[in-house]
Amino acid sequence: MTEANSNIYNPQIIRPRRTIGSRTFDFSRQVAVMAIINRTPDSFHDKGRTFALDAAVAAVENALTHGADWLDIGGVPFAPGPPVSEAEEIDRVVPLIEAARERTDAVISVETFRPEVARAAFAAGADVLNNTSGLHDPALADAVAETGAALVITHSLAQPRTPYPRPVYDDVVAEVAEFLRDRIALAESRGVPSDKIIIDPGHDLNKNTYHSLELTRRLAEIADIGHPLLAAVSNKDFIGETVNRKQLERVEATIATVAVCIMQGARIVRVHDVGEIVPAVRMVEGILGWRPPAVARHNIV
């Protein structure tokens, strides 16, 4: 455990300087902002606003204009809902990945629980598999290992798109950490290099609000596992329930949560409101001394 200063936990990360796709990040002193782009009619936050391909491409362009480092593209929500075939999921994500790759060298990840969708996404230009099912299907790791892509391993308990009511933990942070260590070992045993792995504690995924708040308070314990930590907290229900705000009224509380996560060791943040979150993240980096001011004229000139 290394304290960069009295205000922040700076974990010892396995190979903190990483090239993902065409972008290089130094996660010892840098935070990547991942923009959420969903081609789903029943998405958690935007409720289908970017389901049409032209709307999704416009969302990609908007995210890039506002400084996103990373685009996370998904075709099936985590939550239970109408069935989506593998072919339909590929039809949703591949054209968008291809359009995004034509426009940027930013990192592109695909969020899926299906190995063949991951393979199709990699062929289309994706750099990362973002798997919210905790490698429920170990063949996902095989798809990653075949291509040299990176892998996000997320804690969740249910099978993909399956309800998991009233989750119970004795110690949510310890149990999430144990799960992630186990899944990391599985990925490595299937050929995924350690320095290609990113971890996500899965705020709200098979967890209630108290669990997600506890994870946020003690996020440094997850960061201490040693892989770059992704915090996917944007506009989630634990935020809405904590401050009693509806789905589209949570951006301010999301900004506060993102800042706390960074201070606790998160180095990738997955967000909806890129225009609002990017300046907040860059300000945190500036306060921590990781990023110089873009302009420094006050009482100098």
Side-chain angles (χ1 to χ4, degrees), residues 189-211:
S189 75
R190 309 287 286 227
V192 180
S194 182
D195 62 2
K196 294 288 188 179
I197 294 173
I198 296 160
I199 55 174
D200 176 356
H203 286 81
D204 271 11
L205 305 187
N206 309 139
K207 302 170 188 73
N208 64 32
T209 289
Y210 292 103
H211 297 145

Side-chain angles (χ1 to χ4, degrees), residues 13-20 23-30 195 228:
I13 298 174
I14 298 166
R15 194 177 168 190
R17 186 173 178 83
R18 297 194 181 194
T19 298
I20 305 174
R23 296 281 179 100
T24 298
F25 304 93
D26 182 354
F27 290 125
S28 69
R29 54 184 299 110
Q30 185 177 3
D195 62 2

Side-chain angles (χ1 to χ4, degrees), residues 108-181:
I108 298 175
S109 54
V110 60
E111 182 190 335
T112 185
F113 55 87
R114 290 172 166 142
E116 292 309 313
V117 175
R119 290 186 174 95
F122 295 145
D127 309 298
V128 183
L129 167 60
N130 181 14
N131 178 234
T132 57
S133 68
L135 294 184
H136 173 79
D137 183 350
L140 287 160
D142 300 337
V144 172
E146 291 165 8
T147 61
L151 170 65
V152 179
I153 301 174
T154 304
H155 174 274
S156 61
L157 298 175
Q159 295 187 20
R161 311 216 72 199
T162 302
Y164 197 97
R166 300 183 66 84
V168 175
Y169 301 89
D170 291 329
D171 182 331
V172 65
V173 178
E175 291 173 50
V176 166
E178 181 181 8
F179 175 96
L180 290 172
R181 288 189 174 97

Side-chain angles (χ1 to χ4, degrees), residues 31-38 44-46 49 59 62-63 66-73 130 230-236 239 251 254-255 257-259 261-262 268-282:
V31 179
V33 177
M34 173 195 282
I36 301 166
I37 314 290
N38 287 320
F44 159 74
H45 182 67
D46 60 40
R49 181 178 56 82
N62 182 68
H66 286 96
D69 305 296
W70 191 317
L71 305 168
D72 189 49
I73 292 171
N130 181 14
L230 187 158
V233 298
S234 183
N235 295 303
K236 286 195 168 178
I239 292 176
V251 64
T254 292
I255 289 170
T257 308
V258 164
C261 288
I262 294 170
I268 306 163
V269 293
R270 183 177 184 271
V271 302
H272 300 95
D273 305 294
V274 178
E276 291 80 6
I277 301 295
V278 166
V281 169
R282 301 306 172 225

